[in-house]
Amino acid sequence: MIGSGAEYEERAEAVGRLLAGEGVSVVTGGLGEVMAAAARGAKRAGGATVGILPGESRAAANEWLDHVVVTGIGLARNLAVVASGDAVIAVGGRYGTLAEIGLALTLGRPVVVLEPGWEVEGTLRASTPDEAVELALAAVHTS
Amino acid sequence: MIGSGAEYEERAEAVGRLLAGEGVSVVTGGLGEVMAAAARGAKRAGGATVGILPGESRAAANEWLDHVVVTGIGLARNLAVVASGDAVIAVGGRYGTLAEIGLALTLGRPVVVLEPGWEVEGTLRASTPDEAVELALAAVHTS
Amino acid sequence: MIGSGAEYEERAEAVGRLLAGEGVSVVTGGLGEVMAAAARGAKRAGGATVGILPGESRAAANEWLDHVVVTGIGLARNLAVVASGDAVIAVGGRYGTLAEIGLALTLGRPVVVLEPGWEVEGTLRASTPDEAVELALAAVHTS
Amino acid sequence: MIGSGAEYEERAEAVGRLLAGEGVSVVTGGLGEVMAAAARGAKRAGGATVGILPGESRAAANEWLDHVVVTGIGLARNLAVVASGDAVIAVGGRYGTLAEIGLALTLGRPVVVLEPGWEVEGTLRASTPDEAVELALAAVHTS
C-alpha cells in the first residue's frame, strides 16, 4: 500500500484490516501517516506487515511492522515498495505516490487508486476500501 | 531531459540543441529514442551530454554522450536522472516518465512538460521546444 | 546472513536454525546456495525469514521465505541486506560478500565472519555456527 | 578512482593528473579528500571529471567537476562509481572503499590498489601513481 496524507489514515487503516482479513501481507514504506495506519489496521486484524524504509537505520519505522527493511537508498526505495507487491493500492498521496504509481505501472503491477487520488490512465478506480481490496485481489488473480 | 516515444524525437532533438545553445549540459537516461535525440541535438550544437544508464554495462548507451554513468540500479536510476538536473524537461513519455515527474517534484526540481504530455499539477506547460527551454531556464534562475 | 558458495550450505543452514532458536529473524539476499540454506534452517526451526532480491520479480526467490522484498536495484540491494540486520554473519562468500562486509562496517553494523572467510580488520571471527550466532547476539546487546 | 583519507591526497592528485594526460575521464564519488584531489589533478591537467554524489543535492560536490551526478541513493551510489569506470584505481580508503573494490570485482572491472591499501585477492598492486595508471590502462586494453 502506498500513499500519504494524514487525512487519509482512516481509509488506509481499513485497507490494511481488509487485506489482513484476506490473508494478504501488507507492504508499505514503513514511515508514518497512511503507512503506519495501514500497518496498524493489518496488525490489529492479525495480519503480516513489512515496512521498507528509505534511510540507513530503523529508527524511523512505525510500531506496527513485523519486518523492517532498511534500504539506505532514499526515494529509490519507492521502487522496492511497489515491486514487492503483487498489486498496489494508493490511498491519498502527494508526488512521491505519483512516482510510485508510475513505477508500478512500468513494472506491470496492477494499481488501484482509492478515490480521491491521482488520476492516471491505466489504474483501477475504487470509491471505498472494500472495493479497492476487491479490485486488487481480482487483478492479481487474473494477471 | 526525460521522456520516451519515437514520435517525439524531433522535438527532443530541438530541446537538446536549444539547451546546448544556452550553454547548459543535457542529462538523460542514456538510452534510445528521445534520450538519444536530445543528446544528438546537444552534441551537434557543440553542447555537453551525460547519460545515466540503468544496467551494469555501457553497451546500451547511445553514441551522443560525452560521459556515460553506469548505475546498475535499474529503474531507480530515474531518481539520479531528475536529481542531477537543475530543472527537468519532459518530452513525450510513458509511465517511466510519469514516475520521473513525480520524483522531480518530490525533490523540488522545476518540471516543464512539453505538450502533449502527462498532465500533472505543479508542472510548467510548454507548447514548443523554445518555450520549454525558456521556462526551464527561468525556473532555475528564480529558484 | 550474507555469503555464497555451495560448499558452505550446511554451515549456513546451522546458522539459520540457531538464529531462529534465539527468536531472531533471518534476512538474506533471497536467492540460492547459502541464502536458501540459511532460510531453510530458520524455517525448519520455526523462525521468520525475509529475502531481499536484486531483480524486478519474485521469480528468483527461494522457497523458504516468509516475506520477499523485490528491490529492482541489482547489486545495490546488498546495502539493504546488511542495513536491515542488527548484526551481519558472513558464511563463505565471494566478492559480493566482501562488498557487503564493507558496507556493513561503513554503517556500523557488527560483522561476524564464520571462518574460513574474508579476513577484514574490524570483523569478529567465529570457527563454528554456534560461536558465530553467539558473537552476533553479544555484539547487538552491547552496541 | 575510489578511496578516502586526507593523507592520500597527494597521490590521488597525481593519479588524476596522469589519467588526464592519457586522455581518460576521471570518475569519483564527488566529495572531498582523495575524491577532490583526483578531480583537481585531472582538471589542472586539462582532463574531464565526473562526480557521482550520494545525496539529493549538488551542494556537497567538490569544485573540480565538469559534471555532477546527483543520485539520491546514499551508499548505493558506490555501485555507480565503480560500474562507470573501465577500470578502478583505489587510493587509500576505509570500509566504503573495500565495498567498492568488492563491487568492482563482482562486475568484472579491473581493480588497481595503490599501496598501501586494502589487500584483496584479484586486485592488481601498484606502488606509485604512475604504475597504478599504467596497470589500469593495460588492464582495460587487454580485457
Side-chain angles (χ1 to χ4, degrees), chain D residues 22-92:
Chain D
E22 298 286 344
V24 172
S25 295
V26 175
V27 179
T28 70
L31 302 175
E33 292 187 356
V34 301
M35 295 177 269
R40 185 171 61 236
K43 282 318 295 172
R44 286 182 173 165
T49 57
V50 177
I52 303 181
L53 296 177
E56 294 180 352
S57 91
R58 61 178 61 214
N62 67 60
E63 61 185 302
W64 308 98
L65 301 171
D66 295 324
H67 295 285
V68 175
V69 174
V70 178
T71 65
I73 56 171
L75 289 171
R77 77 84 150 76
N78 292 2
L79 176 61
V81 174
V82 298
S84 296
D86 291 320
V88 174
I89 298 176
V91 181

Side-chain angles (χ1 to χ4, degrees), chain C residues 3-91:
Chain C
S4 59
E7 68 273 34
Y8 299 107
E9 290 184 26
E10 197 177 337
R11 314 196 90 194
E13 184 161 350
V15 168
R17 184 178 65 241
L18 291 162
L19 287 170
E22 299 286 344
V24 173
S25 295
V26 175
V27 179
T28 70
L31 302 174
E33 291 185 356
V34 301
M35 294 176 269
R40 186 172 59 238
K43 281 316 296 173
R44 285 183 173 164
T49 56
V50 177
I52 302 180
L53 297 177
E56 293 180 353
S57 90
R58 61 180 61 212
N62 67 60
E63 60 186 303
W64 309 99
L65 301 171
D66 295 326
H67 296 284
V68 175
V69 173
V70 178
T71 65
I73 55 170
L75 289 171
R77 78 82 151 75
N78 291 1
L79 176 62
V81 174
V82 299
S84 295
D86 291 319
V88 175
I89 299 176
V91 181

Side-chain angles (χ1 to χ4, degrees), chain B residues 33-140:
Chain B
E33 292 186 355
V34 301
M35 294 176 269
R40 186 172 60 238
K43 282 316 297 173
R44 286 183 173 164
T49 57
V50 177
I52 303 180
L53 296 177
E56 294 179 353
S57 92
R58 61 178 61 212
N62 67 60
E63 61 185 302
W64 309 98
L65 301 170
D66 294 325
H67 295 285
V68 175
V69 173
V70 178
T71 66
I73 56 171
L75 289 171
R77 78 82 151 76
N78 291 2
L79 176 61
V81 174
V82 298
S84 296
D86 291 320
V88 175
I89 299 176
V91 181
R94 292 181 288 260
Y95 292 130
T97 303
L98 181 65
E100 289 174 308
I101 291 171
L103 289 168
L105 293 170
T106 303
L107 292 171
R109 300 293 188 280
V111 176
V112 180
V113 176
L114 177 53
E115 297 177 335
W118 288 105
E119 292 198 10
V120 178
E121 190 192 324
T123 58
L124 303 164
R125 318 292 302 179
S127 52
T128 64
D130 286 88
E131 192 188 359
V133 169
E134 195 179 311
L135 284 171
L137 292 174
V140 172

